[in-house]
Amino acid sequence: MPKTDNRDTLLRHWHLLKALPGKPPGITTREATNYLRDLGYSTDIRTTQRDLVKLKSVMAIACNKKGKPYGWYWQPGMGGDIPALDISDALTLHLLGNRLQNLVPESMMRVFSGRIEQARKQLSEHRGNWHNKVGISEENLGYVGPALDNDIFEQLKQALIDNLQIQVKYQSLQEPVAKDFILHPLALVLRGVRTYLIARTHDAQNDEVMPYAAHRFKSVRVLKNKKANRKNFKLKECLDSDLMQFGVAEPIDLQLKLDQVMFKILKETPLTKNQKLIPQQDGGLLEIQIRDSWSLKWWILSKSEHVEVLKPLHYRRKIAGILMSAAKKY
């Protein structure tokens, strides 16, 4: 590449920004200078240092001073892409940020936080009383997401990217102490506010896979040069199965009697696309083929004032038993 004119400051700054990584420890001033020289810029370390200090005053970049030499990097969620935002886009990002913070762990939010903060800063400079115009209201009583160790989550992601096995210490709900074993990571899945690693154990039979709650890993170590066994794994088939529903594989033909309120709600917002509603004078019937999962059971119990299980008989008895047991506590 031909030598670039030293007066072309704008392009030099642009390439310098593109060289910065998206997280600490960052790139050193010397490394950044060598990068610019490789592109044909005649510059030195002192000039690069001055450029970085100037850019830090107007851009979302940071200096890692935890050890020498110092490293420069983009603040979380920013990266080298710097698109402009109009007010409409900024409002959308602000709304998305409010929604995501209740759904994903903090370690994932870091990827978006820079963009969201950029949007909120732009909104704060706009005379539109924006904070009084958009908001989030949760439909249900939700959970606060469990804490997810950033270092452990990075190890899980890296193992997935490189298709490598991991040595883990995992604390299940059923066991009193954490256990050590080897896993073959296959996929990461978000379910509500929890993140799960879909994986095989080292001695899995018949390609069996299991979900492991990411926040229950006490330690994770990537095993270099030990490839994970991904034989016959298809994520879509996994998600379509009962694995993440924590129920039985076979669907049931469910019939519910609904009062007028619940009939109207399910007419507006169906449980599934294949549901059938039959109107009656006092409400109606719901006929649906659906998996017998924890989610279904909790939904029926939470709506027990408005719904009655009619079929199948074994499921009616199951729900009745739970309700009678609960009533005894009152």
Side-chain angles (χ1 to χ4, degrees):
M1 179 178 178
K3 291 285 185 180
T4 306
D5 194 326
N6 288 336
R7 293 171 296 180
D8 199 354
T9 305
L10 180 61
L11 277 177
R12 188 180 76 242
H13 285 179
W14 175 256
H15 285 296
L16 180 56
L17 289 170
K18 297 291 284 185
L20 302 184
K23 58 184 178 181
I27 187 174
T28 67
T29 306
R30 181 177 296 278
E31 290 170 337
T33 302
N34 290 337
Y35 171 80
L36 292 173
R37 286 174 176 171
D38 288 342
L39 292 177
Y41 290 95
S42 178
T43 188
D44 54 37
I45 293 177
R46 184 166 295 184
T47 300
T48 303
Q49 179 69 27
R50 284 198 301 265
D51 287 345
L52 287 167
V53 171
K54 289 179 182 178
L55 290 169
K56 184 176 181 292
S57 66
V58 293
M59 305 296 293
I61 65 175
C63 180
N64 177 22
K65 297 184 178 181
K66 291 184 178 180
K68 291 187 176 181
Y70 297 160
W72 292 84
Y73 59 95
W74 284 99
Q75 293 178 13
M78 295 305 295
D81 187 20
I82 322 167
L85 289 174
D86 61 23
I87 294 301
S88 176
D89 290 340
L91 273 175
T92 301
L93 274 174
H94 166 66
L95 200 60
L96 180 64
N98 287 347
R99 187 73 180 106
L100 286 177
Q101 70 183 8
N102 297 323
L103 290 176
V104 301
E106 184 180 351
S107 54
M108 290 188 187
M109 275 300 295
R110 292 168 58 197
V111 177
F112 310 101
S113 60
R115 288 280 184 260
I116 293 168
E117 287 307 311
Q118 178 191 7
R120 288 172 177 165
K121 181 179 179 181
Q122 185 164 340
L123 288 170
S124 68
E125 298 169 354
H126 186 265
R127 300 176 183 177
N129 196 23
W130 59 270
H131 59 277
N132 205 34
K133 294 181 178 179
V134 293
I136 291 289
S137 176
E138 295 295 338
E139 181 180 9
N140 301 308
L141 182 64
Y143 294 96
V144 175
L148 182 53
D149 184 276
N150 290 336
D151 292 335
I152 286 178
F153 191 57
E154 287 297 321
Q155 291 291 302
L156 294 177
K157 289 191 294 183
Q158 196 59 51
L160 273 175
I161 292 169
D162 295 335
N163 290 324
L164 293 174
Q165 300 173 32
I166 51 177
Q167 176 78 45
V168 305
K169 182 184 287 290
Y170 184 78
Q171 176 68 69
S172 72
L173 283 178
Q174 293 77 24
E175 300 292 339
V177 295
K179 289 189 174 181
D180 293 283
F181 50 95
I182 292 174
L183 285 177
H184 297 245
L186 302 171
L188 281 171
V189 174
L190 278 174
R191 188 177 189 272
V193 296
R194 298 174 180 85
T195 305
Y196 290 87
L197 176 74
I198 308 299
R200 290 190 176 111
T201 58
H202 205 46
D203 55 354
Q205 301 294 319
N206 302 319
D207 298 329
E208 182 183 15
V209 301
M210 292 291 292
Y212 297 86
H215 61 278
R216 296 191 187 123
F217 285 105
K218 302 304 178 184
S219 66
V220 173
R221 181 170 62 89
V222 179
L223 301 179
K224 302 297 183 182
N225 302 320
K226 291 193 174 182
K227 290 295 182 180
N229 174 20
R230 299 186 61 87
K231 181 182 177 183
N232 298 328
F233 176 74
K234 293 182 175 61
L235 180 58
K236 186 177 186 306
E237 291 180 3
C238 180
L239 295 178
D240 289 342
S241 73
D242 65 309
L243 183 69
M244 297 307 300
Q245 299 302 320
F246 305 103
V248 298
E250 295 300 321
I252 59 174
D253 292 315
L254 185 67
Q255 186 182 70
L256 301 179
K257 182 174 178 58
L258 312 174
D259 66 11
Q260 292 181 350
V261 171
M262 188 53 60
F263 187 87
K264 291 178 180 178
I265 290 175
L266 291 183
K267 188 175 182 179
E268 293 175 344
T269 54
L271 282 179
T272 68
K273 293 181 179 180
N274 70 351
Q275 76 171 27
K276 181 180 179 182
L277 289 174
I278 304 171
Q280 294 180 336
Q281 188 172 1
D282 56 349
L285 296 178
L286 168 69
E287 294 181 350
I288 185 173
Q289 189 174 77
I290 193 169
R291 284 193 177 90
D292 178 7
S293 65
W294 288 5
S295 297
L296 175 64
K297 181 181 71 174
W298 291 338
W299 182 84
I300 289 175
L301 292 173
S302 70
K303 309 297 183 185
S304 56
E305 181 183 356
H306 304 283
V307 307
E308 176 189 353
V309 178
L310 300 179
K311 297 178 182 178
L313 184 58
H314 73 86
Y315 199 76
R316 176 182 172 87
R317 289 171 177 166
K318 174 182 176 180
I319 296 297
I322 295 172
L323 290 173
M324 286 188 286
S325 177
K328 291 178 182 178
K329 297 178 180 179
Y330 294 88

